[in-house]
Amino acid sequence: MEPQSQNLKTAPFLTLGRFHISEDYGFLLPNPLRELPGHYSPWMEIANRLPQLIESRQLRAQVNEILPRNLALPFVEVSRNLGLPPILVHSDLVLANWATRNPGGPLEIRNLDTIISFPGGESLRGFILVTVLVEKAAVPGIKALVQAVNAILQSSPDSLLQALQRLRVSIQDITGALGQMHDYVDPDIFYAVIRIFLSGWKDNPALPAGLVYEGVSKEPLSYSGGSAAQSTILHAFDEFLGVRHSKESADFLHRMRDYMPPSHRAFLEEICVAPSLRTHVMSSGNGRLLTAYNQCVESLAALRTYHLALVTKYLITAASRAKAQRTSHLPRPPQALEERGTGGTAVVSFLKSVRDKTLETRLHPSG
């Protein structure tokens, strides 16, 4: 992940605007549409009634079991135009699926709503909107990353130090925002209901052959479900800090980049070819920079440890409760999905690996 050396004098300065990243909202879409134009009203009518249609088992009266041609063709075409795969992804569920109740009010759960929903009630609303707040908490970190890259290009150690300190605080704020999951998301509802709608049809033992998109392909197509790994945040921090993951984890993470908006993928590619922060800190001999760099790495590892604890609560412990039939009022999810993340990974071993590889990135003072 650490790039080859390059001529720093000719490298362009990094800006967020080039990649359609908001100075105020980061990777979030600043003003998502609540409604599509009238031509798409059949889609909106179904989308707005999804929770009721699914819970009353009436959805299949509206949508065939095989994704029918009149949905599959426009879905695939719109997805191609957006540069996204034709499945529910992180940018659909989170980045473009939020609105403020009072536009002048703060970005807090009580002032936010989702635009489109599915079964899961208040826990689904909490899951989506807490993730929106995680994305918002990352904004200062994204801006600090840009400041740091430009500080290296300008040979400005003071600006670089300030940027690393801001990045550390942002990562800690992300961890704090993520902690609101405990307040707004019921583990049993997440495990038995919400997770099923994010499971996709790739690396999913419950749908091993994939899904037929009528009129698009005669063979089933396989796509991963929505996953936190499709958020650009940690990919950007990993690339910037020079974190190297195991081949298996890195392969999965790079595949998840295909599920990001193209401009966000381009932002990651720009970070990849920017001057290496890790190499710069090692060669600088600046103890304050080394300390600030290590604090960023340690904060990122702490965030991953916290995420691992959340996954244990919302997946492993919830699975045990479901097996013991302590949640008999909820549907039983497919047994094949019991310990898999929504992106299709064996999630606990994956999260432990990326956390441990993050810690291995720490630098040690020379001599």
Side-chain angles (χ1 to χ4, degrees):
M1 290 186 183
E2 291 183 24
Q4 300 293 322
S5 61
Q6 57 175 301
N7 185 340
L8 301 187
K9 292 182 180 178
T10 61
F13 289 133
L14 186 62
T15 63
L16 294 178
R18 281 198 288 138
F19 305 98
H20 305 290
I21 301 170
S22 167
E23 291 278 346
D24 296 319
Y25 298 98
F27 298 114
L28 291 166
L29 193 65
N31 293 295
L33 287 177
R34 290 175 178 263
E35 293 283 342
L36 293 176
H39 178 72
Y40 302 97
S41 60
W43 288 15
M44 291 304 301
E45 287 170 8
I46 291 176
N48 288 330
R49 296 171 55 218
L50 269 180
Q52 297 90 341
L53 290 172
I54 293 170
E55 289 165 358
S56 63
R57 301 183 182 273
Q58 293 179 335
L59 180 63
R60 287 177 182 170
Q62 309 287 328
V63 181
N64 196 314
E65 285 182 62
I66 294 175
L67 194 63
R69 181 185 305 266
N70 63 339
L71 287 178
L73 288 174
F75 186 26
V76 169
E77 183 64 24
V78 168
S79 297
R80 282 176 182 160
N81 288 338
L82 293 173
L84 294 169
I87 192 171
L88 182 70
V89 296
H90 177 78
S91 58
D92 303 320
L93 184 68
V94 177
L95 302 185
N97 191 29
W98 66 278
T100 53
R101 293 176 173 177
N102 172 11
L107 248 66
E108 298 173 355
I109 291 279
R110 59 188 173 84
N111 189 41
L112 293 173
D113 265 326
T114 57
I115 298 171
I116 299 298
S117 189
F118 49 82
E122 283 300 301
S123 285
L124 174 67
R125 176 180 175 272
F127 176 73
I128 295 171
L129 296 180
V130 168
T131 311
V132 167
L133 295 181
V134 167
E135 292 279 347
K136 184 65 168 66
V139 174
I142 299 163
K143 294 164 78 170
L145 186 158
V146 170
Q147 177 185 340
V149 169
N150 293 333
I152 295 173
L153 292 170
Q154 294 171 311
S155 299
S156 176
D158 290 342
S159 179
L160 178 56
L161 178 62
Q162 181 190 65
L164 292 177
Q165 292 168 340
R166 288 175 175 172
L167 176 59
R168 171 183 55 81
V169 172
S170 178
I171 294 171
Q172 292 169 343
D173 288 344
I174 291 169
T175 306
L178 189 59
Q180 294 183 70
M181 287 288 179
H182 295 295
D183 301 323
Y184 294 101
V185 184
D186 182 294
D188 297 326
I189 294 176
F190 175 82
Y191 177 76
V193 180
I194 297 170
R195 190 173 57 99
I196 307 310
F197 293 95
L198 302 177
S199 295
W201 30 88
K202 181 180 176 66
D203 298 328
N204 181 348
L207 283 169
L211 179 72
V212 174
Y213 289 66
E214 188 179 52
V216 176
S217 172
K218 292 182 180 179
E219 299 299 320
L221 301 178
S222 297
Y223 297 103
S224 296
S227 165
Q230 295 167 4
S231 170
T232 312
I233 298 170
L234 296 193
H235 291 256
F237 293 168
D238 277 348
E239 290 291 356
F240 175 61
L241 295 170
V243 178
R244 294 178 179 271
H245 294 296
S246 69
K247 184 180 186 306
E248 183 179 5
S249 297
D251 287 347
F252 170 74
L253 288 168
H254 277 273
R255 180 158 61 81
M256 289 298 98
R257 294 185 184 186
D258 294 336
Y259 294 75
M260 297 176 186
S263 59
H264 297 178
R265 293 199 299 269
F267 180 65
L268 294 177
E269 291 163 6
E270 191 81 2
I271 299 170
C272 288
V273 300
S276 167
L277 169 68
R278 197 165 188 272
T279 299
H280 180 83
V281 171
M282 283 191 294
S283 63
S284 71
N286 187 321
R288 295 177 71 196
L289 283 180
L290 186 144
T291 297
Y293 171 86
N294 281 342
Q295 288 174 340
C296 288
V297 170
E298 289 160 2
S299 295
L300 184 57
L303 168 58
R304 285 181 155 138
T305 296
Y306 192 83
H307 186 202
L308 179 58
L310 273 179
V311 167
T312 301
K313 174 180 177 178
Y314 283 87
L315 184 62
I316 308 303
T317 304
S320 298
R321 285 170 53 81
K323 285 179 185 176
Q325 297 185 329
R326 294 177 192 157
T327 57
S328 56
H329 62 291
L330 295 172
R332 287 294 300 272
Q335 187 174 358
L337 292 176
E338 279 181 354
E339 294 188 3
R340 301 194 75 79
T342 54
T345 56
V347 66
V348 171
S349 60
F350 166 75
L351 290 176
K352 285 182 177 178
S353 173
V354 296
R355 185 269 316 276
D356 293 344
K357 289 296 182 182
T358 302
L359 281 173
E360 289 177 13
T361 307
R362 288 177 296 187
L363 292 172
H364 302 285
S366 57

